[in-house]
């Protein structure tokens, strides 16, 4: 089946640092979405991308839909403690629009 | 406006039992999808319903079934529960099923199912 490779699996952040994570797929995707999930809660949509090459910002977050349509990245600038959590990329390659393929997540933790 | 609401939030069942999970979509949304999220993994697609019809099905056994009601709410049913069915079950809604910025998918907070 379709696979999404999300990296890094985990990272530590220090307040004020910029953070970058990315996802690659084995197939061409039509949609890329980025979600954040806090413990015990459902995923919250951060950014949605619908066109190849699209670059979209949401506050300190910026995401891009790769030109090849097989990858996407999410950048967080000037991180703050509440950025801690698990970030998931998700994509749709066709078929039912509600059928999202999710990556395994990137866990952001505060640097000790 | 209320988001996607799910019930119950937590439940414990015994192996072999049956469970029904419920979901109310965001007002005006006609599509509901169900996902299973095992601890440490990303959500996995189970079903999508739109206008009471099944529009997509993931790789789950026939023990899993769902339906959508005229008011667009939905139920997920799982029969003959196994220990491996323990997971967070997420419901997501969207206005429709087309691929556009108007059909963004929003998730509820989930129902935690523990099978013992």
């Amino acid at each position: 089946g379709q696979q999404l490779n999300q990296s890094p699996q985990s990272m530590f952040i220090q307040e004020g640092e910029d953070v970058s994570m990315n996802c690659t797929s084995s197939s061409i995707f039509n949609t890329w979405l980025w979600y954040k999930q806090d413990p015990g809660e459902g995923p919250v949509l951060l950014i949605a991308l619908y066109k190849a090459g699209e670059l979209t910002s949401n506050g300190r977050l910026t995401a891009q839909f790769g030109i090849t349509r097989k990858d996407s990245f999410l950048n967080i600038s000037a991180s703050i403690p509440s950025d801690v959590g698990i970030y998931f990329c998700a994509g749709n390659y066709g078929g039912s629009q509600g059928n999202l393929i999710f990556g395994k997540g990137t866990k952001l933790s505060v640097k000790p | 406006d209320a988001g996607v609401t799910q019930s119950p939030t937590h439940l414990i069942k015994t192996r072999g039992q049956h469970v029904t999970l419920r979901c109310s979509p965001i007002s005006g949304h006609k599509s509901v999808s169900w996902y299973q999220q095992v601890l440490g993994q990303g959500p996995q697609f189970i079903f999508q319903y739109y206008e009471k019809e099944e529009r997509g099905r993931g790789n789950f056994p026939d023990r899993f079934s769902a339906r959508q009601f005229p008011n667009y709410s939905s139920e997920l049913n799982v029969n003959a529960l196994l220990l491996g069915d323990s997971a967070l079950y997420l419901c997501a809604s969207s206005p429709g099923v087309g691929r556009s910025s108007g059909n963004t998918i929003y998730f509820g907070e989930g129902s935690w199912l523990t099978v013992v």
Side-chain angles (χ1 to χ4, degrees), chain A residues 19-37:
Chain A
V19 170
S20 185
M21 60 193 78
N22 68 81
C23 266
T24 58
S25 67
S26 54
S27 300
I28 289 174
F29 272 36
N30 296 322
T31 305
W32 283 99
L33 304 168
W34 286 92
Y35 289 88
K36 179 175 183 261
Q37 188 173 28

Side-chain angles (χ1 to χ4, degrees), chain A residues 34-85:
Chain A
W34 286 92
Y35 289 88
K36 179 175 183 261
Q37 188 173 28
D38 291 326
E41 299 185 9
V44 174
L45 181 67
L46 299 174
I47 293 179
L49 303 160
Y50 296 96
K51 294 180 184 177
E54 182 179 354
L55 183 71
T56 298
S57 293
N58 178 8
R60 294 178 296 105
L61 278 61
T62 301
Q64 184 159 32
F65 192 141
I67 290 291
T68 65
R69 295 170 66 190
K70 290 186 177 182
D71 64 316
S72 177
F73 72 75
L74 174 71
N75 287 339
I76 304 173
S77 62
S79 58
I80 59 178
S82 61
D83 290 334
V84 162

Side-chain angles (χ1 to χ4, degrees), chain A residues 30-31 33 35 37 39-45 48-51 65 69 88 92 95-105, chain B residues 31 33 35 37 40-43 45 48 55-57 88 90 94 96-101 103-110 112:
Chain A
N30 296 322
T31 305
L33 304 168
Y35 289 88
Q37 188 173 28
E41 299 185 9
V44 174
L45 181 67
L49 303 160
Y50 296 96
K51 294 180 184 177
F65 192 141
R69 295 170 66 190
F88 288 100
N92 177 271
S96 163
Q97 175 260 0
N99 180 354
L100 295 176
I101 310 295
F102 278 80
K104 292 188 175 181
Chain B
S31 174
S33 299
Y35 288 77
Q37 186 176 22
Q41 301 291 319
F45 174 73
Q48 182 183 23
R55 286 300 195 99
R57 173 185 285 255
L88 177 66
L90 294 162
S94 61
V97 293
R99 184 179 71 89
S100 74
S101 59
N103 277 327
T104 305
I105 297 165
Y106 297 92
F107 284 83
E109 301 218 334
W112 283 97

